[in-house]
Amino acid sequence: MPPAAAGQRVDNFLLTRLKGVPRSLVYRILRSGEVRVNKGRVKPTHRLAAGDLVRLPPLRRPEHAAPPRPSGGLIATLEAAVLYEDKRVLVVDKPAGIAVHGGSGVHLGLIEALRAMRPGAELELVHRLDRDTSGCLLISKRRSTLRMLHEQMRDGAIDKRYVALLGGLLPEPSFRVDAPLRKNQLHGGERIVRVDPGQGKPAQTLFRRRAVLDGLTLADITLYTGRTHQIRVHAAHLGAPVAGDGKYGDADLNTRLRRLGLKRLFLHAASLRFRSQDDGETHRVEAPLPADLCALLAAVKGGE
């Protein structure tokens, strides 16, 4: 394994290098133990070290046409979405409805579109946002920067803050949820996450009440860990699910808010703070609340 890939998750390492191989196949060979690192089986989350020997089973790349190109509209949207950029990192204000990467029926995700727009650049996702979540998304432009930012994430040095509309009230103005989470695979391949004190991984989320609107809570949220669907599952665990959440939320609430114009998950990555690799300075980037979510808040206030 090249030294530049040290610290990278093995699934991301394989997805980057096995161009043309379906994501589903990459995860299948990982789950089945056909991928060996230093002769041992590993999980997709295993992080590689310099000098590791990665062995793969024989894989056949399917014949594909040229990769899809982003439309002119998507290019314009992503160019306008850049919040911050330097020679090592890029922060974009991801629009809701755009997946961060292709796969599972998505032919072109945000990262593939950016790579097509910037051929030759070593663009990699530092973290992920759900398809229906908008806001700050951090992308590295160099392998060494990706490793450094992943180290910051593991050390808790990257601060990620969100805004959500919750279908209920918080027990206190500021309330921290410490509830381990476990990913489950349902029939048909659908992924769902549950609170599981016995077998879950540690997960902590801080909810702060910003405003109460007609029995709903507009909350500022800080993540101390980065588990899949963490905010959505912890909010539902509190009895105050995120508005518009079709998987963990309240169907009656979602129907009510849909009539007021909410067409997606009310969850927005409002700010991101990270440390520069060059000078050690801290950068804070903010993404304003999108117009559709502001309009929904106005409609809720108007109906009080």
Side-chain angles (χ1 to χ4, degrees), residues 6-147:
Q8 193 172 12
R9 282 173 43 149
V10 67
D11 57 349
N12 292 333
F13 173 78
L14 295 177
L15 290 168
T16 300
R17 284 154 181 80
L18 298 177
K19 301 298 185 183
V21 175
R23 290 176 59 86
S24 58
L25 177 56
V26 172
Y27 281 101
R28 190 184 312 143
I29 61 176
L30 279 165
R31 287 193 297 268
S32 65
E34 295 176 84
V35 175
R36 299 295 178 109
V37 176
N38 301 328
K39 299 184 179 181
R41 298 177 62 160
V42 293
K43 295 182 178 180
T45 55
H46 175 82
R47 294 192 181 275
L48 298 169
D52 278 352
L53 179 63
V54 181
R55 293 188 180 276
L56 305 175
L59 296 172
R60 183 188 296 273
R61 287 182 170 87
E63 295 292 333
H64 280 305
R69 295 280 303 175
S71 65
L74 180 56
I75 289 174
T77 295
L78 294 182
E79 287 178 343
V82 174
L83 297 170
Y84 173 84
E85 183 171 10
D86 60 28
K87 64 183 180 181
R88 294 183 181 275
V89 301
L90 175 68
V91 182
V92 298
D93 185 358
K94 187 190 87 65
I98 297 179
V100 294
H101 53 66
S104 301
V106 178
H107 297 296
L108 185 72
L110 181 144
I111 191 63
E112 290 87 9
L114 287 174
R115 288 169 180 159
M117 293 163 59
R118 301 178 177 212
E122 295 182 329
L123 301 179
E124 296 288 348
L125 294 166
V126 178
H127 62 109
R128 291 168 171 79
L129 295 175
D130 291 342
R131 184 171 183 170
D132 279 344
T133 302
S134 55
C136 294
L137 182 68
L138 182 59
I139 297 164
S140 71
K141 299 167 68 173
R142 299 185 182 183
R143 301 282 183 194
S144 59
T145 303
L146 181 67
R147 294 198 305 273

Side-chain angles (χ1 to χ4, degrees), residues 232-259:
R232 297 163 63 187
V233 179
H234 276 177
H237 182 63
L238 280 176
V242 177
D245 191 342
K247 181 173 288 191
Y248 306 105
D250 183 315
D252 290 338
L253 170 67
N254 293 343
T255 298
R256 169 193 159 199
L257 294 179
R258 197 174 301 119
R259 295 192 188 103

